[in-house]
Each structure stands twice: as structure tokens, then as C-alpha cells.
């Protein structure tokens, strides 16, 4: 329930001050005997419209009695089940304004003397939160009473974005809040701008998780999300002359009005220590470092439904007694605070650098904290809903745990530890429950992204979990041996080593002896025979023996392969796009797929159409609603296909272009504010925004721009205008702080932009913009204004992508390779409405082999672009290491692993086709409309329904 604020159920009186500043003064009943507080509305002056609205047109001293609102103390009446009865909240503009004023007075984050814009945002958020909490309580109560099977989504990232617009939109209160704020002297848009993005994620993984939560709530499905409450996020990106600079995020410095601290909900988390056996024979994990995980809740509202689910975030701390007061008083201040500092740093930063041993330990601490706290909480709810009649065999029928990538893998040994060590179940019972409960989503085919942790570090940090993992590993080896007994074990050792959880660890003796025995019993081929000159047989002839070659013992450190543990433990493994799921089955986990084909599924990603079209692009949404006849498409995105019949209609095309231009003007103003560059809104807006990585090939994009610029400089003005379409090339995205090559790409983009944007000969014909600190709110400005979007990763390396879906949904035409969800998008929007280039996924291995053999011959245009950079045309920075990655045939940082050179000719030729197509306004507008019309499949509602029906087995449970 919403926390009561203020003392007593007092009413407030508001009157208009007669002073020149027209201050509005709020008085509570308790203040009448003292001096009234002055309360500035809308800056330093109260707007006339506000005063007349609040006090009427009669006496300027007229008093308005504010009735009790949701956050004021209420009588704690309960229903027959012991629940607090529902409070009433009015949703008209007048009541909302009163509630906002109430929060500004009684729930202040700031001094109550002034109602500045930041205070207006906080008070508005708290007012919206009242409704969210009411709906959250009703949803929670329903889940408690009905006890359905519930899904729990564990993710290291939730890239939420701003909450205010999404909340009032989903609650259908946008107009009411806009009117209320207008009467208080502000606009909803300016208030929304004061909200910082929650720094709880970085890229597509976190944004997907947030889209899923929106769909889960909208579809009335029983589910919760679990994550960590990062204080400083990944980092705030600044773009300077030197490229990218990282500073800590400050999103929590002014507080977070959306979160609900649950200080009564915390769980113990242990690190290090040792494992002992108790008198009852159970293993006990004792001693070590102990902290607490404390819950912070974020309500997640569904669209046009009361259902409001929960994102529970964990923060870490230790009790006050852990502060060493004696050491502090002795002057050892750092030592005194060591326990608090060690606990706090776990949730300081998302993805801390892990090149050092300390960094690896911190990463593992983060992952274990997420898993342990969440599992303890899930089990608490299971027990609570069981009403003291716990039947552990029912656990998989009530709980579904989804591991979003490998970060939550420790959920597997943690669930086993709790069931076996704490709840007293047998190993077999616990393993059966675990396998029926957990499922795994794979998000990458990159070997370096399939997490592997040093066994030595994990043994030290989580000794009991390593024991459990070792037993799971040995149990898996036994099952594979049993499976292969009928067919024998020829060349079986390599397969075992590749599939097991533990890497660079000797096989158990019983496995080794089995393999040796099998080898000795096989027929000895002539090629494997050797003559033992010192041994003779009965007939004095040389003895023929079988040659058993013993492989050298690996000296590499032992590792724990998290993805293999996920596949072995999970009942389902899914990829996130059709082509990705095929690669998962046929390449990444092929050995597992051969023995468990039914375990593998595809669940093509999706994005919420509420945030990514309806709310962020209101102009285009109104056009869509007009031509479809209703707003039903917001929930049933398949209805968007009906736009196809109007794609060539002149009236629709005119309205479509007008809506797009409004968004382009908004983006142009934003770019001017953030970068100082002025761009032409009539130019083609060409956008590539995503995490900076070599496989995503921002490098290919900027090389293409360099080549275009060089060719322009060689032409006369007339030739330039004839050949090229005016274009604004926009980049955005963060390079990880320790990813040097990615940061060099950022530097190159900004250096190229600095030259081109200030070249008077080129003018508006070409601009290059790097938008700093790309996040959800920036995406909500960029994507609606986009006309061409680049999804140009090396084929077979992008699992899915979700920004491609957002761009298509907003009528943007895509240029890209057949990679990730591009394949399905192209099928849905029509091949003629997608600019395709580049090598296919099945060709990549062969092309890399050709490169290693020295058979690749670079295109002269590719060499020309590289030489232009080396010439110093874009500054004095030495790009030798960056350009060197495109050269040579093999070796670390060499050999053009991502095939930029191979695809470069096809890429620039495809861009020539874009130039020509954009000049045909009617044809381009048709392409734009057909992209939106074909994007309905890529709603996260569709994805979540598939998860619910085919993996989790959960059903809708709407709040009445």
C-alpha cells in the first residue's frame, strides 16, 4: 500500500497571495497557528490560469478544501481475508492536480518552498505511483488467493527507460495528467523530460526483458521480474574530441520516486567460507562473508488492464553491527567500513571490468546475489501460498524460472543447494524438480559471450556450488556413457570433453578406464600396430601390441562453462530468431541437440508496440488509427497488415509523410541541442544505433561514408547533386570501457563527422552525427524520425536484434544482411521493401578459410577508403591498429574476422540503390507504409504468449 505521508488526515487550505510575485501558499490545519509556508508554482510565479482554476473567479481569497487523497492516512479497514480494503482514487484532472499538490507538500524529495519543474516531476510520479500501488496490491492479492503457476524472469539487465509516459499511457490517464499539469503551469512533455532513464541495463538484452514485462502485464499473465539495483549503471557516455569518455550514471542522485523500498524483505547471501557435514549428514556452508540482499520493487502496469506486475530489484548491504566502531575510533576508518564497502560495491556498476581476478570475483558476486536472493524469494512465496502444506513435487507446477542468457546460471546449483541442504530433499528429488523448473534463453553465438568462469575462483567464492556443479557434471557424463553403450565409444573422449560443464579438468577415473578398456577391446588396425622388439611370443616372433596414444594433460586452467550447465539443467533451450535457433541447434549446441532434440525451441524476439510506436510516435499512431478505424491494433498488431490496401493512397501517403516530418524536426532540434550541429530535415535520415561492437559493423558503415565523402570531393557541385541524395548519417551506442577497438571506432566516427560537418563544399549533402549517451529515451526520439536503418552485422553473428523491429514498426526501411531477425522482417515486409546485401551465414566459415589461405583479394574501393583515412584527412589520430584489423590473413586482431572487406563492395552498391529509391517520394513512402504493415509479428505480446504456452505453461489471470 502507498505509504501514508503527513501527520493526521488534515485538509489543506490554499489561497492566493496578494503580493507582486503571486505566490500560492499551502497551509495545513496544523500550521494555522504559525507562519504559513510559501509554495512557488511553476517557477517563481503562479500562473493566472492556475489561480482561477484553484480558487474560482470570485473572491481571490476563496479557500479550497482538499479532500483526503490516496497517500493520506486512511482507516485500516480490512476485508474478510485480512487484506486492507481498496482505497478510492479519482482520475479526473482536478483530483489528479490535488493529488500532485498533496505529494509536493507531504511527500517531498525537495524543499517545499518551491514547486520547480523537478519537484513537479517527482510529485507527478508519486501521484501516478498511487494508482500503480493500488493495482499492484490487487494483482498481488489475486495471485496469492488463486495460487496460479507463475513465471519468474531473471535477468542481469532491465533497460526500462522513463516510466512516466509509459505508466500514464498504459493506465489511460495521459490526457487527465496533461490537463492537470497544464493547470499547474506545466506541460506533461516538459515534466517527462525531467525523468532520468533508469540505469539498469545497456543494450538489447535488457530492453527485451523490459518489453517482456510490459507484455506479461498487458496479457494478464502471472509473472515477476528479478534484477539488480545498480547505483551507477554501466556508465554515462560523453563524446569529446578524444572519442568516448565514461563517467558514472547519476540516475539515483535525486531519488527514484517509482521504486518502493521493501526494507522488511531481505535475504542472507554468503560468499567464501567452507563446506562441512552436519550431524544429520547434510552439507553445511559455514563461515565466510555474509551480506543481505534488500528488495526494491518497481510496479509494471499493463495496457488497458488493472494487472500490475512487479520488477523486484536487489540492493546489497550489511547490518549496522558490521561497522567496526572500535577500528573507526582508533583512526582505521577504511578498515571500519570495509564490510559495508564490500557489500555496496556488488550493486555499484553493471558489468564491471573483469580482466582482473578481483573483477571476476565481483562479477560472480553479482550473478550469485541475483540468483540466491531471487530463489529464496520465490521459495518464500511458494511456501506462503502452500499455506503450511508444502509439497515439493508441486514446485514445478507452481514455478517457472527463465534464465535470460547465462548470467543467472547459478540459479541451478543454488536451487539444488536450497532443496538438498536446507529443505532435506534427496539429490534425485531435487534434480528432478530443478530440471522441470528452469529454462534457458540463449542470446549469442559468439564464443567469448558464452560465459566461462575460472574453476579456482568459483571454488573459493562458492565452494558448495562447485561441489554441486561437479556432481551434475559427473552425473551428466554417466548419462552420456549409458546412452552410447550400444554403439561403442570410438572417438568419444573429445565429444565428452566438449559437452561437459567442466573444461580443462581431467575426466573422472571411471570414465577414463572405460575409454581405455573400450580402446583395447577394439580391433587393432595395421596403422595402429607397432613392433615390440623386446617382447617375443611362444613362436619367437615379434609381439604385436595395440598402440594406445595418451593425450597430453592440458595445462590450461579449469573453467566452468555456464552455457553447458544451462543446457544440461534446463527443460527448454530457446534461440531468439529463426536463423539463430538453427545455428544454436546445428553449431553452438549440436552435440546436445542430437541427444535432446525436443529440448530446443525458437522464440523470435519482439518489442512492445505501446512504448515503441503508440507512445513514442503519436503522430504516426493517429494516422494508423484513422485508416484502420480503431486503436485495436495497439493490442492486436496483426491488424497493421490492413494498411497494405492503402499503401498507394495519396491521402494516406501525404499524412504519413507529414507525421514523419514532425518527428524529423524534433530530432533535428535534439541534435542541435546535444551536438551543436544543424541538420537538414529534408535529407534522408540514415540511422545506426546499437552497442558498438566489431560484429555489428559500425566500422563498415563509417568506411562507406568515408568512401562517399571522398567521391563527393572529387566531383563538381552539379555532379554531386545529381548522384547523391542529401543524407544525415546518425550513430549512437556505447562501447564497453575496456573494449579498445570499439572505442577506436567511436573515435573514427567523431573524427570523420568533425571534418565532413564543417566542409562548406559538401554542406547539407552529407552530415555525420554521433548522438551521445544513447539510451531508451534517445531511441524514442531517433526511431520515429528514421527513414533508413542499418542492421549490417556479419551474417550468422547477431542472435536477433530488436532495434530492427522498432525501426520497421515506425515505417523505417532497413538495409542489412540476412542475419538475426532481419531474415523474418524481410519476409514479413516484402523483399522489395528491404535493402539486402552481403554474404550469407552458411558462407562465412568458408570465406574465413579462404582468408586464412591468402585467397581474398580486396576491392580497390575498399583500399581507397582505408588509404583516405591513413592520409590524415580526418585528423592526426593514428588508426593503424584499427585499420590493421582489416588486413593480414589471420592472427589476433588481424585477418578481418568480421568480413568488412568482403562485404564492402556490395554495401556501397546497395547504398547507391538507396539514393535512387529515396528520390522517388511516392515509392519510398509506400515502402515505409509496408514496413509498418508487416511489423505486426514482431510484437512482444506474440513472443510472450509463445513462452507462456510452450515453455512456462502459465495462463492469464486478470484482475476483475
Amino acid at each position: 500500500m502507498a505509504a501514508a505521508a503527513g501527520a493526521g488526515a488534515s485538509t489543506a487550505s490554499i489561497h492566493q497571495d496578494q503580493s507582486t510575485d503571486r505566490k500560492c501558499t499551502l497551509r495545513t490545519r496544523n500550521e494555522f497557528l504559525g507562519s504559513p509556508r510559501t509554495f512557488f508554482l511553476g517557477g517563481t510565479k503562479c500562473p493566472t490560469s492556475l489561480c482561477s482554476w484553484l480558487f474560482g473567479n470570485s473572491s481571490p481569497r476563496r479557500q479550497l478544501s482538499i479532500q483526503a487523497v490516496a497517500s493520506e492516512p486512511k482507516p485500516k479497514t480490512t476485508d474478510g481475508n485480512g487484506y486492507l480494503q481498496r482505497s478510492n482514487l479519482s482520475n479526473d484532472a482536478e483530483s489528479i492536480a490535488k493529488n500532485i499538490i498533496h505529494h509536493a507538500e507531504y511527500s517531498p524529495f525537495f524543499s517545499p518552498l518551491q514547486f520547480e519543474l523537478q519537484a513537479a516531476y517527482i510529485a507527478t510520479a508519486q501521484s501516478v505511483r498511487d494508482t500503480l500501488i493500488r493495482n499492484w496490491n490487487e494483482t498481488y492479492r489475486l495471485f496469492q488467493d488463486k495460487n496460479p503457476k507463475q513465471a519468474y524472469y531473471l535477468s542481469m539487465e532491465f533497460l526500462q527507460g522513463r516510466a512516466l509516459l509509459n505508466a500514464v499511457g498504459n493506465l489511460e490517464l495521459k490526457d487527465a495528467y496533461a490537463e492537470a499539469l497544464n493547470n499547474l503551469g506545466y506541460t506533461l512533455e516538459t515534466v517527462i523530460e525531467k525523468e532520468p532513464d533508469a540505469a539498469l541495463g545497456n543494450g538489447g538484452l535488457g530492453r527485451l526483458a523490459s518489453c517482456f514485462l510490459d507484455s506479461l502485464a498487458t496479457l494478464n499473465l502471472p509473472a515477476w521480474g528479478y534484477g539488480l539495483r545498480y547505483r551507477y549503471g554501466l556508465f554515462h557516455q560523453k563524446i569529446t574530441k578524444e572519442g568516448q569518455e565514461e563517467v558514472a550514471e547519476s540516475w539515483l542522485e535525486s531519488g527514484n520516486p517509482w521504486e518502493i523500498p521493501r526494507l522488511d524483505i531481505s535475504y542472507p547471501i554468503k560468499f567464501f567460507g567452507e563446506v562441512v557435514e552436519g550431524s544429520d549428514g547434510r552439507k553445511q556452508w559455514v563461515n565466510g562473508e555474509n551480506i543481505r540482499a534488500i528488495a526494491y520493487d518497481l510496479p509494471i502496469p499493463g495496457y488497458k488492464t488493472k494487472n500490475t506486475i512487479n520488477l523486484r530489484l536487489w540492493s546489497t548491504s550489511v547490518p549496522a553491527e558490521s561497522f567496526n566502531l572500535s577500528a573507526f575510533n582508533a583512526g582505521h576508518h577504511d578498515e571500519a567500513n570495509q564490510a559495508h564497502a564490500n557489500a555496496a560495491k556488488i550493486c555499484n556498476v553493471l558489468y564491471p571490468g573483469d580482466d582482473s581476478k578481483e573483477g571476476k570475483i565481483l562479477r560472480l558476486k553479482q550473478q550469485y546475489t541475483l540468483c540466491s536472493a531471487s530463489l529464496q524469494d520465490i521459495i518464500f512465496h511458494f511456501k506462503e501460498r502452500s499455506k503450511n502444506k508444502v509439497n515439493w513435487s508441486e514446485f514445478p507446477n507452481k514455478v517457472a524460472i527463465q534464465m535470460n542468457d547465462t548470467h543467472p546460471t547459478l540459479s541451478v546449483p543454488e536451487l539444488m543447494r536450497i532443496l538438498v541442504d536446507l529443505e532435506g530433499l534427496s539429490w534425485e528429488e531435487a534434480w528432478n524438480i530443478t530440471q522441470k523448473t528452469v529454462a534457458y534463453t540463449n542470446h549469442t553465438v559468439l564464443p567469448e559471450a558464452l560465459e566461462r568462469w575460472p574453476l579456482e575462483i568459483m571454488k573459493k567464492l562458492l565452494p558448495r556450488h562447485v561441489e554441486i556443479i561437479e556432481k551434475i557434471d559427473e552425473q551428466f557424463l554417466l548419462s552420456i556413457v549409458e546412452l552410447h553403450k550400444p554403439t561403442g565409444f570410438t572417438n568419444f573422449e573429445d565429444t565428452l570433453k566438449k559437452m561437459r560443464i567442466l573444461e580443462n579438468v581431467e575426466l573422472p577415473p571411471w570414465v577414463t578406464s572405460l575409454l581405455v578398456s573400450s580402446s583395447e577391446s577394439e580391433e587393432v588396425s595395421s596403422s595402429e600396430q607397432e613392433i615390440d622388439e623386446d617382447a617375443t611370443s611362444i613362436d619367437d616372433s615379434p609381439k604385436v601390441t595395440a598402440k594406445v596414444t595418451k593425450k597430453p594433460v592440458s595445462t590450461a586452467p579449469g573453467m566452468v562453462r555456464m552455457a553447458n550447465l544451462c543446457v544440461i539443467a534446463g527443460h527448454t533451450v530457446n534461440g531468439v530468431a529463426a536463423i539463430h535457433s538453427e545455428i544454436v541447434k546445428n553449431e553452438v549446441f549440436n552435440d546436445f541437440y542430437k541427444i535432446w532434440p525436443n529440448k530446443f525451441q525458437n522464440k523470435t524476439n519482439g518489442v512492445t508496440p505501446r512504448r515503441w510506436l503508440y507512445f513514442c510516435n503519436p503522430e504516426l499512431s493517429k494516422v494508423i488509427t484513422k485508416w484502420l478505424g480503431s486503436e485495436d491494433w495497439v493490442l492486436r498488431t496483426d491488424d497493421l497488415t490492413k494498411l497494405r490496401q492503402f499503401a498507394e493512397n495519396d491521402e494516406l501517403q501525404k499524412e504519413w509523410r507529414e507525421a514523419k516530418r514532425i518527428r524529423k524536426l524534433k530530432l533535428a532540434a535534439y541534435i542541435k541541442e546535444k551536438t551543436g550541429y544543424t541538420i537538414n530535415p529534408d535529407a534522408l535520415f540514415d540511422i545506426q544505433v546499437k552497442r558498438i561492437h566489431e560484429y555489428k559493423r559500425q566500422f563498415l558503415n563509417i568506411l562507406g561514408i568515408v568512401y562517399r565523402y571522398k567521391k563527393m570531393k572529387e566531383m563538381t557541385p552539379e555532379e554531386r547533386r545529381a548522384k547523391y541524395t542529401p543524407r544525415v548519417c546518425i550513430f549512437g551506442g556505447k562501447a564497453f570501457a575496456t573494449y579498445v577497438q570499439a572505442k577506436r571506432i567511436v573515435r573514427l566516427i567523431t573524427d570523420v563527422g568533425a571534418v565532413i560537418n564543417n566542409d562548406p563544399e559538401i554542406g547539407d549533402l552529407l552530415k555525420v552525427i554521433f548522438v551521445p549517451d544513447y539510451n531508451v529515451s534517445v531511441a524514442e526520439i531517433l526511431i520515429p524520425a528514421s527513414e533508413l536503418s542499418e542492421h549490417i552485422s556479419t551474417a550468422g553473428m547477431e542472435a536477433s536484434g530488436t532495434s530492427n523491429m522498432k525501426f520497421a514498426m515506425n515505417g523505417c526501411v532497413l538495409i542489412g544482411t540476412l542475419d538475426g531477425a532481419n531474415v523474418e522482417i524481410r519476409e514479413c515486409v516484402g523483399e522489395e521493401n528491404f535493402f539486402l546485401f552481403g554474404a550469407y551465414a552458411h558462407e562465412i566459415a568458408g570465406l574465413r578459410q579462404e582468408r586464412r589461405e591468402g585467397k581474398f583479394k580486396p576491392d580497390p574501393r575498399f583500399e581507397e577508403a582505408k588509404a583516405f583515412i591513413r592520409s590524415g584527412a580526418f585528423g592526426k589520430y593514428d588508426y593503424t591498429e584499427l585499420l590493421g584489423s582489416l588486413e593480414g590473413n589471420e592472427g589476433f586482431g588481424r585477418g578481418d574476422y568480421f568480413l568488412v572487406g568482403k562485404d564492402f563492395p556490395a554495401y556501397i552498391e546497395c547504398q547507391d540503390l538507396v539514393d535512387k529509391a529515396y528520390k522517388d517520394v511516392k515509392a519510398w513512402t509506400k515502402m515505409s507504409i509496408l514496413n509498418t504493415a508487416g511489423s505486426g509479428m514482431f510484437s512482444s505480446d506474440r513472443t510472450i504468449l509463445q513462452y507462456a504456452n510452450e515453455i512456462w505453461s502459465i495462463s492469464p489471470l486478470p484482475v476483475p
Side-chain angles (χ1 to χ4, degrees):
M1 300 293 288
S10 63
T11 60
S13 63
I14 307 178
H15 71 84
Q16 181 182 351
D17 198 309
Q18 297 297 304
S19 68
T20 306
D21 287 333
R22 295 175 55 84
K23 300 168 185 172
C24 281
T25 305
L26 274 73
R27 290 176 172 175
T28 64
R29 181 165 44 203
N30 296 335
E31 290 178 308
F32 282 160
L33 297 179
S35 301
R37 294 188 199 171
T38 53
F39 199 76
F40 292 73
L41 291 164
T44 58
K45 296 186 179 181
C46 168
T48 304
S49 60
L50 170 62
C51 290
S52 61
W53 176 75
L54 284 176
F55 309 118
N57 295 321
S58 56
S59 166
R61 305 291 292 186
R62 176 187 173 196
Q63 292 185 344
L64 176 67
S65 175
I66 298 182
Q67 301 301 317
V69 293
S71 292
E72 291 184 313
K74 302 287 194 306
K76 292 189 177 181
T77 55
T78 59
D79 60 17
N81 295 319
Y83 295 116
L84 293 178
Q85 289 184 346
R86 174 180 173 176
S87 59
N88 293 318
L89 288 172
S90 298
N91 292 330
D92 60 280
E94 182 175 351
S95 300
I96 287 171
K98 293 173 185 176
N99 197 11
I100 292 171
I101 292 294
H102 173 87
H103 278 293
E105 178 74 358
Y106 290 99
S107 309
F109 274 49
F110 304 98
S111 167
L113 298 181
Q114 291 193 344
F115 192 62
E116 301 286 0
L117 187 56
Q118 183 69 20
Y121 155 66
I122 295 291
T124 301
Q126 291 170 321
S127 171
V128 176
R129 197 183 74 164
D130 287 347
T131 301
L132 295 180
I133 291 175
R134 180 195 65 187
N135 292 351
W136 187 96
N137 286 338
E138 290 193 35
T139 306
Y140 184 79
R141 178 189 304 182
L142 182 67
F143 291 176
Q144 288 292 95
D145 290 345
K146 300 298 183 182
N147 191 19
K149 184 174 184 180
Q150 184 165 331
Y152 298 93
Y153 199 83
L154 273 62
S155 178
M156 287 297 286
E157 294 186 47
F158 287 92
L159 196 58
Q160 290 290 96
R162 290 170 173 157
L164 180 52
L165 178 59
N166 192 71
V168 296
N170 277 3
L171 293 169
E172 299 182 274
L173 295 175
K174 181 181 176 183
D175 291 343
Y177 268 88
E179 182 181 346
L181 285 167
N182 185 62
N183 289 326
L184 292 173
Y186 293 111
T187 67
L188 178 59
E189 185 175 15
T190 57
V191 170
I192 286 170
E193 289 295 321
K194 295 304 294 183
E195 179 178 1
D197 275 39
L200 299 171
N202 172 48
L205 184 77
R207 186 53 238 170
L208 178 75
S210 294
C211 283
F212 279 4
L213 292 184
D214 178 89
S215 289
L216 284 163
T218 297
L219 297 171
N220 301 317
L221 291 165
W224 272 22
Y226 283 104
L228 295 182
R229 182 178 178 266
Y230 302 106
R231 183 176 181 182
Y232 301 118
L234 184 73
F235 59 82
H236 175 84
Q237 182 193 54
K238 292 184 177 181
I239 299 298
T240 69
K241 291 181 179 180
E242 305 302 316
Q244 173 180 293
E245 179 185 336
E246 306 90 20
V247 296
E249 288 274 10
S250 59
W251 74 290
L252 285 176
E253 286 193 356
S254 295
N256 180 8
W258 300 103
E259 68 182 12
I260 306 162
R262 305 291 192 187
L263 302 182
D264 60 324
I265 299 175
S266 68
Y267 295 100
I269 309 293
K270 181 186 289 293
F271 305 112
F272 305 110
E274 57 188 336
V275 180
V276 299
E277 189 170 306
S279 57
D280 57 358
R282 295 187 194 176
K283 294 290 184 72
Q284 296 179 9
W285 185 16
V286 297
N287 303 322
E289 175 187 341
N290 298 287
I291 65 166
R292 305 289 296 183
I294 303 164
Y296 286 76
D297 287 351
L298 290 177
I300 308 295
Y303 175 68
K304 288 190 175 183
T305 177
K306 291 180 182 176
N307 280 56
T308 300
I309 63 172
N310 195 38
L311 171 56
R312 176 155 287 176
L313 302 173
W314 301 108
S315 186
T316 44
S317 186
V318 291
E321 56 263 29
S322 296
F323 183 78
N324 191 332
L325 196 59
S326 297
F328 189 85
N329 288 330
H332 306 304
H333 302 149
D334 290 341
E335 177 189 340
N337 194 51
Q338 193 63 51
H340 285 267
N342 285 340
K345 71 181 180 183
I346 292 172
C347 291
N348 271 348
V349 175
L350 170 65
Y351 301 141
D354 61 356
D355 289 341
S356 65
K357 179 180 178 181
E358 292 75 16
K360 290 179 175 64
I361 290 173
L362 183 56
R363 282 271 195 115
L364 277 170
K365 279 187 171 184
Q366 286 187 334
Q367 294 186 5
Y368 179 62
T369 297
L370 168 65
C371 297
S372 180
S374 302
L375 262 295
Q376 291 182 70
D377 198 46
I378 291 167
I379 289 171
F380 170 82
H381 288 295
F382 171 72
K383 288 182 173 180
E384 185 180 47
R385 293 176 186 178
S386 297
K387 304 186 188 305
N388 299 319
K389 297 179 181 178
V390 176
N391 179 359
W392 285 107
S393 65
E394 279 295 296
F395 190 78
N397 298 325
K398 295 298 181 182
V399 173
I401 296 172
Q402 190 70 34
M403 299 182 292
N404 191 29
D405 217 346
T406 52
H407 307 124
T409 305
L410 289 169
S411 298
V412 173
E414 176 66 0
L415 180 55
M416 289 293 294
R417 183 187 73 85
I418 293 172
L419 294 177
V420 173
D421 296 357
L422 304 184
E423 300 297 339
L425 274 67
S426 70
W427 176 273
E428 291 73 19
E429 289 173 317
W431 183 241
N432 183 51
I433 290 169
T434 299
Q435 284 196 302
K436 290 180 178 179
T437 301
V438 301
Y440 161 55
T441 300
N442 173 273
H443 284 278
T444 184
V445 300
L446 297 177
E448 65 269 23
L450 295 172
E451 287 188 302
R452 298 158 61 252
W453 291 107
L455 181 60
E456 181 185 358
I457 289 177
M458 192 176 283
K459 272 185 178 179
K460 183 179 179 183
L461 184 70
L462 302 168
R464 178 57 179 140
H465 296 77
V466 169
E467 288 186 352
I468 293 170
I469 290 170
E470 288 174 338
K471 186 167 182 177
I472 294 172
D473 182 62
E474 187 162 351
Q475 182 176 279
F476 169 72
L477 292 175
L478 177 61
S479 69
I480 299 301
V481 167
E482 290 294 322
L483 190 67
H484 282 78
K485 267 185 179 180
T487 58
F489 303 101
T490 305
N491 300 321
F492 191 53
E493 185 174 356
D494 289 339
T495 301
L496 279 182
K497 288 182 176 180
K498 187 166 60 173
M499 295 178 72
R500 67 181 303 200
I501 300 165
L502 303 179
E503 182 182 10
N504 300 326
V505 175
E506 287 190 17
L507 290 166
W510 65 268
V511 176
T512 305
S513 61
L514 182 67
L515 293 173
V516 171
S517 174
S518 173
S519 175
E520 290 176 344
S521 65
E522 291 175 2
E523 183 179 349
V524 181
S525 66
S526 58
S527 61
E528 292 178 324
Q529 293 175 349
E530 64 177 12
I531 304 297
D532 187 346
E533 299 290 353
D534 296 325
T536 57
S537 62
I538 294 176
D539 61 1
D540 293 329
S541 62
K543 184 177 180 182
V544 180
T545 60
K547 181 181 179 181
V548 180
T549 304
K550 204 168 185 181
K551 295 186 179 180
V553 177
S554 172
T555 58
M559 306 293 286
V560 180
R561 292 187 278 217
M562 307 302 263
N564 287 23
L565 176 54
C566 286
V567 175
I568 291 167
H571 60 80
T572 305
V573 177
N574 73 278
V576 290
I579 187 174
H580 169 243
S581 294
E582 291 304 305
I583 292 172
V584 165
K585 291 189 294 185
N586 298 325
E587 296 179 27
V588 182
F589 298 125
N590 181 248
D591 290 312
F592 293 102
Y593 175 66
K594 287 176 182 176
I595 60 174
W596 296 318
N598 295 329
K599 180 178 284 198
F600 291 82
Q601 297 186 15
N602 174 59
K603 296 289 174 281
T604 297
N605 284 341
V607 301
T608 168
R610 270 76 63 183
R611 181 181 286 271
W612 292 113
L613 178 54
Y614 187 54
F615 298 149
C616 76
N617 200 344
E619 294 83 10
L620 193 63
S621 296
K622 288 176 183 176
V623 173
I624 293 170
T625 297
K626 173 187 171 182
W627 285 85
L628 296 185
S630 75
E631 291 185 341
D632 292 349
W633 62 269
V634 181
L635 284 171
R636 297 199 302 266
T637 51
D638 286 348
D639 287 356
L640 292 172
T641 58
K642 297 174 185 177
L643 288 170
R644 287 174 179 157
Q645 62 188 305
F646 309 117
E648 296 187 71
N649 184 285
D650 289 340
E651 185 181 352
L652 171 58
Q653 287 210 354
K654 180 174 178 291
E655 293 172 2
W656 198 270
R657 287 192 294 270
E658 288 172 351
K660 181 67 75 172
R661 183 171 173 80
I662 290 171
R663 287 288 129 180
K664 289 179 73 177
L665 288 168
K666 183 177 177 68
L667 175 55
Y670 179 84
I671 286 173
K672 176 67 175 177
E673 176 190 348
K674 296 297 181 181
T675 71
Y677 290 125
T678 299
I679 61 174
N680 176 15
D682 294 321
L684 168 64
F685 281 15
D686 173 353
I687 300 178
Q688 185 179 19
V689 283
K690 50 187 77 229
R691 177 167 54 94
I692 309 296
H693 197 290
E694 288 170 280
Y695 89 83
K696 293 179 183 287
R697 299 204 296 190
Q698 288 93 348
F699 199 5
L700 174 60
N701 189 346
I702 194 62
L703 281 169
I705 293 169
V706 166
Y707 181 78
R708 171 181 287 251
Y709 176 61
K710 185 177 187 297
K711 294 294 107 178
M712 284 181 175
K713 293 292 285 182
E714 294 170 357
M715 295 177 179
T716 66
E718 293 74 21
E719 289 172 331
R720 289 184 205 124
R721 291 289 173 186
K723 178 172 176 59
Y724 294 108
T725 294
R727 190 183 294 224
V728 180
C729 301
I730 301 170
F731 295 83
K734 295 179 178 180
F736 279 111
T738 56
Y739 191 173
V740 177
Q741 204 73 311
K743 293 177 75 171
R744 288 180 180 133
I745 293 170
V746 174
R747 173 69 185 262
L748 177 60
I749 294 168
T750 57
D751 281 353
V752 170
V755 171
I756 294 177
N757 298 344
N758 293 291
D759 189 332
E761 290 184 8
I762 301 302
D764 286 342
L765 199 55
L766 182 61
K767 297 291 184 186
V768 179
I769 307 295
F770 195 102
V771 178
D773 202 42
Y774 179 67
N775 57 24
V776 173
S777 295
V778 176
E780 290 169 346
I781 299 171
L782 287 168
I783 292 173
S786 63
E787 293 173 293
L788 181 74
S789 182
E790 312 242 357
H791 303 274
I792 57 178
S793 52
T794 310
M797 301 200 73
E798 183 73 84
S800 169
T802 52
S803 64
N804 45 9
M805 302 171 185
K806 297 162 195 166
F807 280 102
M809 203 172 274
N810 281 269
C812 179
V813 182
L814 273 56
I815 180 172
T817 53
L818 277 183
D819 195 26
N822 284 359
V823 178
E824 292 154 277
I825 291 174
R826 183 168 176 261
E827 292 172 355
C828 290
V829 306
E831 295 179 5
E832 68 279 9
N833 303 306
F834 185 107
F835 289 98
L836 177 68
F837 76 95
Y840 297 145
H842 68 271
E843 299 174 326
I844 301 301
L847 290 170
R848 286 176 177 150
Q849 181 61 32
E850 286 183 11
R851 183 71 183 236
R852 286 191 291 270
E853 293 171 358
K855 296 178 181 179
F856 172 71
K857 303 298 181 186
D859 188 281
R861 294 167 292 183
F862 179 58
E863 295 299 296
E864 196 175 342
K866 291 191 296 177
F868 195 37
I869 295 172
R870 282 198 172 98
S871 73
F874 303 105
K876 298 180 180 179
Y877 184 80
D878 185 0
Y879 284 105
T880 300
E881 290 296 322
L882 181 60
L883 294 171
S885 69
L886 306 177
E887 297 166 345
N889 294 326
E890 60 183 331
F892 181 76
R894 303 279 291 175
D896 193 12
Y897 184 78
F898 302 101
L899 303 180
V900 174
K902 170 64 181 176
D903 282 349
F904 183 82
Y907 176 67
I908 60 174
E909 289 162 12
C910 194
Q911 289 286 13
D912 287 341
L913 297 177
V914 172
D915 282 326
K916 293 176 184 176
Y918 191 73
K919 290 177 180 178
D920 187 338
V921 175
K922 186 173 177 63
W924 186 275
T925 306
K926 178 183 176 182
M927 292 173 70
S928 174
I929 294 169
L930 291 175
N931 266 269
T932 298
S935 66
M937 175 201 164
F938 303 101
S939 167
S940 52
D941 295 352
R942 184 266 313 155
T943 313
I944 282 299
L945 279 174
Q946 291 178 339
Y947 273 97
N949 294 330
E950 299 167 17
I951 296 181
W952 302 332
S953 299
I954 61 174
S955 303
L957 187 61
V959 175

